[in-house]
Amino acid sequence: MAKKSDKTIFPDRGEIILYRSPDGKAALDVRLDGETLWLHLNQLAGLFERDKSVISRHLGIVFKSGELERNSVVAFFATTAADGKTYNVEYFNLDAIISIGYRVNSKRGTQFRIWATNVLREHLVRGFTLNEKRLGEQGQKLSDLHRTVGL
């Protein structure tokens, strides 16, 4: 496993990104795999500051209504628990996270909706969305490459 700024690369499991909310209350290890991100039920409950039963109920409605197909947004990943044992844990992808974010009634849910709406608005107005952090990282890589080639 290689450590890289705020993300850890697991060759067999994709990237894990550590997210911290601006108020420092929420910290989240986000699994990136297959061009999407994945959260398990406990992470969803923590992200939206709601009980797991509330999140499960919302997921059930999303699947029952046909908004999302369960088999296209759910995956099972082997996860090592605090007891050292490995368990097959159900994870939900970005589509499911967005669906829950627009349903859940909490302060964190409201913050999520504001953020998501702003990103969508920016994308629609500009025709693209900028990830300033990623651009900064790429700029640094390009600068390093120029310096290396210059030698």
Side-chain angles (χ1 to χ4, degrees):
M1 134 177 91
K3 186 84 172 151
K4 194 173 182 186
S5 66
D6 62 345
K7 64 182 172 185
T8 305
I9 313 266
F10 294 90
D12 59 334
R13 297 185 295 171
E15 296 178 330
I16 305 294
I17 304 289
L18 179 63
Y19 165 79
R20 288 194 201 294
S21 64
D23 61 9
K25 291 182 179 178
L28 196 56
D29 292 327
V30 178
R31 178 188 193 99
L32 297 177
D33 188 44
E35 296 187 12
T36 190
L37 61 94
W38 299 89
L39 298 178
H40 56 69
L41 189 59
N42 288 336
Q43 290 173 310
L44 284 167
L47 175 63
F48 295 119
E49 295 181 331
R50 284 292 172 249
D51 190 75
K52 290 187 309 186
S53 64
V54 172
I55 302 300
S56 291
R57 188 175 70 243
H58 285 306
L59 284 165
I61 293 167
V62 166
F63 299 139
K64 186 175 181 178
S65 71
E67 178 181 338
L68 296 174
E69 290 186 34
R70 183 177 188 79
N71 62 358
S72 65
V73 299
V74 174
F76 288 87
F77 295 106
T79 304
T80 304
D83 63 5
K85 295 180 182 176
T86 301
Y87 298 93
N88 218 14
V89 177
E90 186 177 43
Y91 281 76
F92 302 90
N93 79 2
L94 181 59
D95 295 335
I97 296 164
I98 290 170
S99 290
I100 298 308
Y102 274 91
R103 282 178 167 70
V104 72
N105 184 15
S106 68
K107 182 178 179 183
R108 191 64 52 74
T110 301
Q111 291 169 338
F112 175 85
R113 289 187 291 276
I114 291 168
W115 168 81
T117 301
N118 286 334
V119 169
L120 179 59
R121 181 179 297 112
E122 178 183 340
H123 187 81
L124 291 172
V125 169
R126 289 185 177 181
F128 59 90
T129 306
L130 292 176
N131 182 329
E132 292 178 23
K133 181 179 178 188
R134 188 171 279 175
L135 283 174
E137 290 171 356
Q138 295 303 319
Q140 183 60 46
K141 287 179 186 177
L142 184 60
S143 185
D144 292 345
L145 180 61
H146 280 295
R147 203 169 339 134
T148 302
V149 171
L151 294 175

